Amino acid sequence: MSKNILHSWKNTPLASRVEEGSSKNFKTGSWRSKKPVHNKEICTNCLQCWINCPDNAIKVKDGNIDKIDYDFCKGCGICAEVCPVKAIEMKNEKDE
Ligand code: SF4
Ligand code: SF4
């Protein structure tokens, strides 16, 4: 099966085998009902959110939080829970 056919997880054929190493082809961000919003002003760049994100959706550049990749963030809220200074707020997806 061609990689180009699998634009998102919704296109995954039922009861079929998916090519190894192809998870980047499945943008799981559409699962989200709440989104994490990062406040750079109070972030201390301790990287706890980056370490704990199960989807590798928090991107780091030069040792600092760069951005949240909303194509893959599923909105689990773990990053907001572990942040010691509450620099990540979970907001309703519809409100953004
Ligand atoms: S856990 Fe909070 S303070 Fe630490 S890097 Fe993430 S957003 Fe910044
Ligand atoms: S909400 Fe969950 S998936 Fe999204 S960035 Fe935070 S820890 Fe990662």
Side-chain angles (χ1 to χ4, degrees):
M1 182 173 293
S2 165
K3 280 184 185 175
N4 294 333
I5 294 171
L6 300 175
H7 299 301
S8 81
W9 65 273
K10 292 175 183 173
N11 300 110
T12 306
L14 292 174
S16 66
R17 180 180 161 276
V18 177
E19 200 172 324
E20 304 88 34
S22 61
S23 62
K24 285 189 176 175
N25 298 332
F26 301 99
K27 295 187 174 177
T28 50
S30 62
W31 298 9
R32 203 175 47 240
S33 59
K34 291 198 167 196
K35 77 190 292 185
V37 177
H38 180 230
N39 184 342
K40 284 190 178 186
E41 299 300 317
I42 58 174
C43 174
T44 61
N45 290 298
C46 69
L47 303 185
Q48 281 300 312
C49 55
W50 174 73
I51 291 166
N52 286 284
C53 174
D55 290 302
N56 193 27
I58 296 176
K59 300 304 176 191
V60 172
K61 189 174 181 183
D62 300 327
N64 296 326
I65 301 298
D66 182 37
K67 64 179 181 178
I68 296 172
D69 186 342
Y70 292 117
D71 281 345
F72 295 97
C73 165
K74 296 193 192 89
C76 67
I78 291 173
C79 54
E81 281 295 318
V82 300
C83 178
V85 296
K86 303 297 175 205
I88 297 177
E89 183 182 353
M90 297 303 291
K91 295 195 171 180
N92 285 328
E93 191 73 28
K94 292 179 198 157
D95 296 342
E96 287 297 304

